[in-house]
Amino acid sequence: MLQAVLNGSRPEDAHPALPVLARHLARDARAVARLGVQSVHVHPRDPLGHETIEPVHVGDAVALIRQEAPGVEIGVTTGRWIQPDPRKRIEAVHGWGRLGQGKPDVCSVNVHEKGWVDVCRAAAQNNIGVELGVWTSGDAVTLRQSGVPPMTVRVLAESTVVSDPETAVAEAIRIVRALGQLPVPVLLHGEEDGAWPVLEYALRMGVDTRIGFEDVLVRPDGWLATGNDDLVRSALAIRV
């Protein structure tokens, strides 16, 4: 599977085509869906452009994406940097459960963040799948000791601590080895200078991966991408 990560935490001025508003996320989701992408991950924003997990804004973004890209899996974040209080993150996830067409299909939960098990439990209670973010081999050990929570659809092996191409791939290998055998798929990715090397490694290994403005702004040739669809086309063109 190739997932498209459309915006992430990047500021609005990071790229002229960065989708921030809900309608722009929906536009980009439609564009990558036409290329065969079946899963998108987005960071909804409030009217001021700040990342948010508030149900009203999450619901607006998800509903518009679902309208423009029906059948595509829609994921959002529960990142601690958006809401440091785990209790409020849990409340937000419960609020998502009442959004109808605006309810996300999955949410990413980082294993290193306080309260991650309870956030996963809230997602499961609302029939929302979980992507477990594992940033280091230490996180991988934590996950193995805790066990994979119910409703987990995949583990994100995120080689994002370093962006040097060779180091990023080496870290990706360490994380995957530390994870061991899991009952769910692993999605492996890097970011910035490490994004394309880690993606190519994931393709060689036959595991899921992702691409999009959240992870990188340039194509493999170093040229600035024109949009998320440009990055997806570049990924699909890679033969390993």
Side-chain angles (χ1 to χ4, degrees), residues 1-197:
M1 182 190 73
L2 178 67
Q3 183 184 74
V5 288
L6 302 183
N7 62 345
S9 301
R10 294 192 186 274
E12 190 171 357
D13 61 357
H15 189 286
L18 182 77
V20 174
L21 300 177
R23 67 176 183 271
H24 295 154
L25 289 169
R27 173 203 64 199
D28 279 23
R30 180 180 66 235
V32 299
R34 288 174 174 171
L35 297 173
V37 168
Q38 297 179 345
S39 175
V40 297
H41 173 79
V42 301
H43 290 210
R45 308 294 176 98
D46 66 18
L48 297 178
H50 301 142
E51 290 179 274
T52 179
I53 60 172
E54 290 300 315
V56 62
H57 303 305
V58 170
D60 286 346
V62 172
L64 277 175
I65 293 171
R66 203 174 302 285
Q67 178 180 322
E68 293 295 324
V72 170
E73 178 191 76
I74 305 169
V76 299
T77 183
T78 63
R80 179 180 61 189
W81 63 91
I82 302 173
Q83 175 48 260
D85 188 339
R87 293 171 299 179
K88 292 183 178 180
R89 294 203 299 274
I90 292 166
E91 290 174 5
V93 172
H94 283 304
W96 299 348
R98 298 187 290 271
L99 291 174
Q101 288 297 305
K103 185 176 82 167
D105 299 305
V106 298
C107 63
S108 61
V109 181
N110 296 316
V111 169
H112 67 274
E113 294 179 350
K114 182 179 179 180
W116 72 275
V117 172
D118 295 325
V119 175
C120 290
R121 184 179 300 113
Q125 290 170 348
N126 289 279
N127 199 33
I128 297 171
V130 172
E131 296 180 312
L132 291 174
V134 175
W135 291 16
T136 66
S137 54
D139 293 345
V141 173
T142 297
L143 177 58
R144 287 173 57 186
Q145 292 174 343
S146 299
V148 175
M151 290 292 291
T152 299
V153 297
R154 65 185 64 92
V155 170
L156 307 177
E158 309 192 69
S159 180
T160 57
V161 177
V162 292
S163 61
D164 173 75
E166 291 186 7
T167 308
V169 173
E171 179 64 12
I173 294 170
R174 281 193 289 269
I175 294 172
V176 171
R177 286 178 177 171
L179 285 170
Q181 295 296 318
L182 294 171
V184 296
V186 172
L187 185 154
L188 179 62
H189 77 97
E191 67 178 16
E192 306 305 355
D193 291 344
W196 291 110

